[in-house]
Amino acid sequence: MEWFESWFDTPYYHLLYSNRDYTEAENFITKLTSELELPQSAKIIDLACGKGRHSVFLNKLGYDVLGLDLSRQSIEHNKQFENQTLIFDVHDMRDPIDYTPVDAVFNLFTSFGYFDNEEDDKNVFKSVCNALKKDGYFVLDYLNEEFVRNTLVPETTITRGEIDFKISKEIKDRHIIKNIRFEADGKSHHFFEKVKLHTLETIKNYAEESSFERVKIWGDYQLNDFNKDISPRCINLFKKK
């Protein structure tokens, strides 16, 4: 079992990240869909949807949404939100998506770069391309390598309820590795996250191999222009050729 299969399916993962700003996320998605000028009847895939907060909000905006995630627990949780235009399913993003071609695929909040094998990264682009209509959009919201290197905090402790999550970060072999240690339920736990520090050029090459062109890069969730030295995010907008 790979690290993301075990860690993302635990309640501790969702507890650690329970402070995520829903208002910021909803404002971002509102700006993004407006920028893309997607009609309200558009079909969107939320790839690596987690517990579905973005899928649900997209659906409230009027879109027909398919939320996909590898975590069975997350998808089971999301089933309560389903309706005629909002569906959730378990899916590995490296595999082909068996669904009617869609207008856009969103991969948000660093849900890419988990795989050791480069072919797995390329397969994500291939599956997304095959899922899109011609001229469809792929939004890949990723970390900015330079910003990560310049702002890395080696050690920190985050308290959620009665649990102190002791977190250490390091950059090793072009990966950012986050070790997460804590005591809970009478046991010592250790999980880690490992994300590739892909360069802009590498991501562009993956995209072009799968018949995408990159048409825009934003640097934050307010959709300001990307600056490699100071932008906290690297939000890629690709269009299927």
Side-chain angles (χ1 to χ4, degrees):
M1 183 175 289
E2 299 188 73
W3 68 265
F4 46 86
E5 294 179 272
S6 57
W7 173 224
F8 291 172
D9 232 0
T10 72
Y12 306 117
Y13 168 79
H14 298 288
L15 177 61
L16 175 59
Y17 294 111
S18 61
N19 69 319
R20 284 175 168 165
D21 190 334
Y22 278 57
T23 301
E24 181 187 50
E26 291 180 358
N27 288 340
F28 163 54
I29 287 176
T30 300
K31 287 177 181 289
L32 180 62
T33 53
S34 176
E35 184 78 17
L36 300 184
E37 297 182 339
L38 293 172
Q40 283 204 337
S41 59
K43 296 180 183 296
I44 300 174
I45 292 175
D46 183 9
L47 189 61
C49 66
K51 287 211 166 179
R53 59 180 177 146
H54 309 116
S55 300
V56 170
F57 185 68
L58 282 165
N59 187 240
K60 286 180 179 177
L61 291 178
Y63 298 110
D64 189 329
V65 182
L66 171 64
L68 300 175
D69 199 274
L70 187 64
S71 168
R72 291 187 178 277
Q73 286 193 18
S74 291
I75 294 302
E76 287 172 7
H77 168 269
N78 297 348
K79 288 290 185 180
Q80 64 184 300
F81 306 120
E82 287 189 333
N83 58 52
Q84 288 186 331
T85 56
L86 176 60
I87 299 170
F88 292 97
D89 203 1
V90 176
H91 180 79
D92 187 320
M93 69 173 69
R94 294 167 287 188
D95 297 334
I97 299 170
D98 185 17
Y99 192 68
T100 305
V102 299
D103 299 281
V105 175
F106 294 169
N107 183 251
L108 306 177
F109 297 88
T110 315
S111 300
F112 179 72
Y114 300 157
F115 313 118
D116 289 328
N117 187 337
E118 185 179 46
E119 288 304 311
D120 287 333
D121 290 330
K122 292 181 180 181
N123 284 338
V124 174
F125 278 86
K126 290 177 185 175
S127 72
V128 170
C129 182
N130 291 334
L132 282 168
K133 298 176 181 177
K134 184 179 181 296
D135 295 327
Y137 288 115
F138 176 31
V139 178
L140 177 65
D141 168 23
Y142 201 57
L143 49 78
N144 175 13
E145 177 192 15
E146 288 299 319
F147 184 82
V148 169
R149 291 184 183 278
N150 294 336
T151 61
L152 182 72
V153 178
E155 293 186 0
T156 188
T157 298
I158 296 175
T159 301
R160 297 280 181 259
E162 298 180 353
I163 300 178
D164 294 325
F165 293 92
K166 300 184 183 302
I167 297 171
S168 62
K169 296 180 183 178
E170 64 175 333
I171 295 174
K172 185 176 181 181
D173 298 329
R174 294 201 58 79
H175 290 80
I176 180 167
I177 300 171
K178 179 192 292 187
N179 282 288
I180 304 157
R181 294 180 170 86
F182 56 94
E183 303 284 332
D185 302 319
K187 298 179 182 178
S188 296
H189 299 268
H190 175 213
F191 294 94
F192 72 92
E193 299 174 7
K194 181 180 178 183
V195 179
K196 286 182 186 174
L197 291 174
H198 282 307
T199 64
L200 280 171
E201 191 64 24
T202 298
I203 291 176
K204 180 183 177 185
N205 289 340
Y206 290 165
E208 290 180 347
E209 281 184 33
S210 294
S211 299
F212 284 109
E213 62 175 335
R214 182 157 58 194
V215 296
K216 183 72 178 178
I217 309 175
W218 295 291
D220 56 34
Y221 294 131
Q222 290 73 49
L223 299 188
N224 292 308
D225 288 341
F226 177 76
N227 181 311
K228 72 173 186 177
D229 296 318
I230 62 172
S231 292
R233 305 299 301 170
C234 179
I235 304 171
N236 299 264
L237 175 62
F238 299 105
K239 192 172 187 179
K240 181 176 177 177
K241 295 179 182 177

